[in-house]
PDB file of all heavy atoms in Angstrom:
ATOM      1  N   ALA V   2      68.871 111.136  55.608  1.00 85.00           N
ATOM      2  CA  ALA V   2      67.455 111.229  55.854  1.00 85.00           C
ATOM      3  C   ALA V   2      67.203 111.462  57.340  1.00 85.00           C
ATOM      4  O   ALA V   2      67.855 110.894  58.186  1.00 85.00           O
ATOM      5  CB  ALA V   2      66.809 109.875  55.449  1.00 85.00           C
ATOM      6  N   MET V   3      66.259 112.356  57.646  1.00 90.00           N
ATOM      7  CA  MET V   3      65.992 112.665  59.014  1.00 90.00           C
ATOM      8  C   MET V   3      64.848 111.826  59.582  1.00 90.00           C
ATOM      9  O   MET V   3      63.746 111.840  59.042  1.00 90.00           O
ATOM     10  CB  MET V   3      65.596 114.179  59.127  1.00 90.00           C
ATOM     11  CG  MET V   3      66.722 115.107  58.738  1.00 90.00           C
ATOM     12  SD  MET V   3      68.239 114.923  59.763  1.00 90.00           S
ATOM     13  CE  MET V   3      67.817 116.068  61.094  1.00 90.00           C
ATOM     14  N   GLY V   4      65.169 111.133  60.645  1.00 93.00           N
ATOM     15  CA  GLY V   4      64.140 110.398  61.385  1.00 93.00           C
ATOM     16  C   GLY V   4      63.658 111.225  62.572  1.00 93.00           C
ATOM     17  O   GLY V   4      64.029 112.398  62.740  1.00 93.00           O
ATOM     18  N   THR V   5      62.824 110.666  63.408  1.00 93.00           N
ATOM     19  CA  THR V   5      62.270 111.399  64.526  1.00 93.00           C
ATOM     20  C   THR V   5      62.392 110.543  65.786  1.00 93.00           C
ATOM     21  O   THR V   5      62.145 109.379  65.818  1.00 93.00           O
ATOM     22  CB  THR V   5      60.743 111.689  64.304  1.00 93.00           C
ATOM     23  OG1 THR V   5      60.631 112.275  63.022  1.00 93.00           O
ATOM     24  CG2 THR V   5      60.191 112.609  65.342  1.00 93.00           C
ATOM     25  N   LEU V   6      62.770 111.266  66.869  1.00 94.00           N
ATOM     26  CA  LEU V   6      62.776 110.670  68.195  1.00 94.00           C
ATOM     27  C   LEU V   6      61.701 111.364  69.047  1.00 94.00           C
ATOM     28  O   LEU V   6      61.735 112.578  69.120  1.00 94.00           O
ATOM     29  CB  LEU V   6      64.127 110.807  68.844  1.00 94.00           C
ATOM     30  CG  LEU V   6      64.261 110.345  70.318  1.00 94.00           C
ATOM     31  CD1 LEU V   6      63.966 108.855  70.444  1.00 94.00           C
ATOM     32  CD2 LEU V   6      65.637 110.643  70.845  1.00 94.00           C
ATOM     33  N   THR V  14      62.128 115.415  68.306  1.00 89.00           N
ATOM     34  CA  THR V  14      63.268 116.007  67.663  1.00 89.00           C
ATOM     35  C   THR V  14      63.613 115.246  66.380  1.00 89.00           C
ATOM     36  O   THR V  14      63.338 114.070  66.259  1.00 89.00           O
ATOM     37  CB  THR V  14      64.484 116.037  68.589  1.00 89.00           C
ATOM     38  OG1 THR V  14      65.547 116.749  67.971  1.00 89.00           O
ATOM     39  CG2 THR V  14      64.953 114.637  68.969  1.00 89.00           C
ATOM     40  N   SER V  15      64.149 115.993  65.412  1.00 89.00           N
ATOM     41  CA  SER V  15      64.614 115.389  64.199  1.00 89.00           C
ATOM     42  C   SER V  15      66.091 114.975  64.308  1.00 89.00           C
ATOM     43  O   SER V  15      66.900 115.825  64.661  1.00 89.00           O
ATOM     44  CB  SER V  15      64.462 116.332  62.997  1.00 89.00           C
ATOM     45  OG  SER V  15      63.098 116.690  62.819  1.00 89.00           O
ATOM     46  N   ILE V  16      66.340 113.777  64.045  1.00 91.00           N
ATOM     47  CA  ILE V  16      67.760 113.235  64.143  1.00 91.00           C
ATOM     48  C   ILE V  16      67.981 112.380  62.916  1.00 91.00           C
ATOM     49  O   ILE V  16      67.152 111.645  62.449  1.00 91.00           O
ATOM     50  CB  ILE V  16      67.940 112.393  65.429  1.00 91.00           C
ATOM     51  CG1 ILE V  16      67.757 113.238  66.691  1.00 91.00           C
ATOM     52  CG2 ILE V  16      69.358 111.738  65.431  1.00 91.00           C
ATOM     53  CD1 ILE V  16      67.877 112.528  67.996  1.00 91.00           C
ATOM     54  N   ASP V  17      69.168 112.564  62.338  1.00 92.00           N
ATOM     55  CA  ASP V  17      69.570 111.747  61.166  1.00 92.00           C
ATOM     56  C   ASP V  17      69.373 110.281  61.399  1.00 92.00           C
ATOM     57  O   ASP V  17      69.725 109.781  62.486  1.00 92.00           O
ATOM     58  CB  ASP V  17      71.033 112.079  60.818  1.00 92.00           C
ATOM     59  CG  ASP V  17      71.501 111.329  59.602  1.00 92.00           C
ATOM     60  OD1 ASP V  17      71.346 111.869  58.477  1.00 92.00           O
ATOM     61  OD2 ASP V  17      71.990 110.204  59.739  1.00 92.00           O
ATOM     62  N   ASP V  18      68.814 109.564  60.425  1.00 94.00           N
ATOM     63  CA  ASP V  18      68.509 108.136  60.577  1.00 94.00           C
ATOM     64  C   ASP V  18      69.717 107.332  61.145  1.00 94.00           C
ATOM     65  O   ASP V  18      69.560 106.430  61.928  1.00 94.00           O
ATOM     66  CB  ASP V  18      68.170 107.520  59.202  1.00 94.00           C
ATOM     67  CG  ASP V  18      66.630 107.535  58.926  1.00 94.00           C
ATOM     68  OD1 ASP V  18      65.920 108.127  59.685  1.00 94.00           O
ATOM     69  OD2 ASP V  18      66.230 106.918  57.933  1.00 94.00           O
ATOM     70  N   LEU V  21      70.296 108.111  64.668  1.00 96.00           N
ATOM     71  CA  LEU V  21      69.126 107.559  65.433  1.00 96.00           C
ATOM     72  C   LEU V  21      69.300 106.056  65.653  1.00 96.00           C
ATOM     73  O   LEU V  21      69.036 105.566  66.739  1.00 96.00           O
ATOM     74  CB  LEU V  21      67.884 107.881  64.669  1.00 96.00           C
ATOM     75  CG  LEU V  21      66.533 107.726  65.417  1.00 96.00           C
ATOM     76  CD1 LEU V  21      66.495 108.610  66.664  1.00 96.00           C
ATOM     77  CD2 LEU V  21      65.391 108.099  64.493  1.00 96.00           C
ATOM     78  N   GLU V  66      61.389 106.855  64.957  1.00 95.00           N
ATOM     79  CA  GLU V  66      60.774 106.729  63.634  1.00 95.00           C
ATOM     80  C   GLU V  66      61.824 107.058  62.581  1.00 95.00           C
ATOM     81  O   GLU V  66      62.442 108.138  62.639  1.00 95.00           O
ATOM     82  CB  GLU V  66      59.560 107.676  63.533  1.00 95.00           C
ATOM     83  CG  GLU V  66      58.451 107.313  64.493  1.00 95.00           C
ATOM     84  CD  GLU V  66      57.420 108.381  64.583  1.00 95.00           C
ATOM     85  OE1 GLU V  66      57.607 109.328  65.352  1.00 95.00           O
ATOM     86  OE2 GLU V  66      56.416 108.264  63.878  1.00 95.00           O
ATOM     87  N   TYR V  67      61.976 106.155  61.654  1.00 95.00           N
ATOM     88  CA  TYR V  67      62.958 106.309  60.621  1.00 95.00           C
ATOM     89  C   TYR V  67      62.354 106.811  59.309  1.00 95.00           C
ATOM     90  O   TYR V  67      61.283 106.365  58.940  1.00 95.00           O
ATOM     91  CB  TYR V  67      63.742 105.045  60.377  1.00 95.00           C
ATOM     92  CG  TYR V  67      64.578 104.652  61.575  1.00 95.00           C
ATOM     93  CD1 TYR V  67      64.016 103.870  62.599  1.00 95.00           C
ATOM     94  CD2 TYR V  67      65.842 105.142  61.728  1.00 95.00           C
ATOM     95  CE1 TYR V  67      64.789 103.537  63.711  1.00 95.00           C
ATOM     96  CE2 TYR V  67      66.602 104.780  62.847  1.00 95.00           C
ATOM     97  CZ  TYR V  67      66.050 104.006  63.826  1.00 95.00           C
ATOM     98  OH  TYR V  67      66.806 103.710  64.951  1.00 95.00           O
ATOM     99  N   PHE V  68      63.049 107.657  58.643  1.00 93.00           N
ATOM    100  CA  PHE V  68      62.592 108.185  57.358  1.00 93.00           C
ATOM    101  C   PHE V  68      62.795 107.091  56.317  1.00 93.00           C
ATOM    102  O   PHE V  68      61.925 106.830  55.489  1.00 93.00           O
ATOM    103  CB  PHE V  68      63.360 109.427  56.941  1.00 93.00           C
ATOM    104  CG  PHE V  68      62.950 109.994  55.643  1.00 93.00           C
ATOM    105  CD1 PHE V  68      61.801 110.810  55.557  1.00 93.00           C
ATOM    106  CD2 PHE V  68      63.662 109.728  54.494  1.00 93.00           C
ATOM    107  CE1 PHE V  68      61.403 111.324  54.340  1.00 93.00           C
ATOM    108  CE2 PHE V  68      63.242 110.240  53.255  1.00 93.00           C
ATOM    109  CZ  PHE V  68      62.112 111.055  53.176  1.00 93.00           C
TER     110      PHE V  68
END
Side-chain angles (χ1 to χ4, degrees):
M3 296 299 272
T5 308
L6 173 63
T14 184
S15 298
I16 296 178
D17 181 89
D18 268 8
L21 196 56
E66 296 168 277
Y67 293 90
F68 180 82

